[in-house]
């Protein structure tokens, strides 16, 4: 699954267009490497997002095949550091 779509489906970032913008600003890293929105993710990858005042680090536990309900979204990743 693409990085921008995963961020939206998992509800880490609310909209896919915002996820694209954040990736384009080089504020999203996958396994410590800057990532483009089209980066293909796999289970076990570590995503780091740099916000203005904090950094979020999460490990991907599961890649969904389609849309996910709002209740199931937090089960797709685990927060490593916030």
């Amino acid at each position: 699954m693409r990085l921008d779509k995963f961020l939206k489906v998992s509800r880490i970032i609310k909209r896919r267009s915002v996820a694209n913008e954040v990736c384009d600003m080089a504020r999203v890293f996958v396994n410590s490497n800057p990532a483009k929105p089209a980066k293909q993710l796999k289970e076990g990858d570590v995503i780091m997002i740099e916000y203005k005042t904090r950094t979020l680090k999460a490990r991907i536990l599961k890649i969904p095949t389609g849309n996910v309900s709002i209740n199931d979204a937090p089960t797709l990743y685990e927060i490593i550091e916030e």
Side-chain angles (χ1 to χ4, degrees):
M1 176 176 276
R2 289 173 52 111
L3 173 60
D4 58 344
K5 186 162 184 176
F6 180 81
L7 292 173
K8 182 218 176 259
V9 168
S10 65
R11 294 181 174 67
I12 293 174
I13 296 179
K14 302 293 185 207
R15 284 178 267 142
R16 193 167 175 183
S17 60
V18 174
N20 275 317
E21 289 175 17
V22 173
C23 290
D24 289 337
M25 291 189 300
R27 293 183 173 259
V28 179
F29 300 85
V30 176
N31 299 328
S32 301
N33 297 317
K36 302 271 185 187
K39 169 84 173 145
Q40 291 295 318
L41 298 177
K42 58 187 181 299
E43 292 177 8
D45 283 346
V46 176
I47 298 173
M48 185 174 77
I49 303 171
E50 293 178 345
Y51 296 98
K52 283 186 177 182
T53 59
R54 66 183 176 106
T55 300
L56 173 75
K57 225 179 204 183
R59 177 176 288 112
I60 298 173
L61 300 177
K62 183 177 163 188
I63 300 289
T65 55
N67 286 334
V68 177
S69 72
I70 195 163
N71 296 328
D72 294 336
T75 65
L76 300 177
Y77 60 92
E78 78 172 317
I79 302 293
I80 299 171
E81 184 181 314
E82 191 166 359

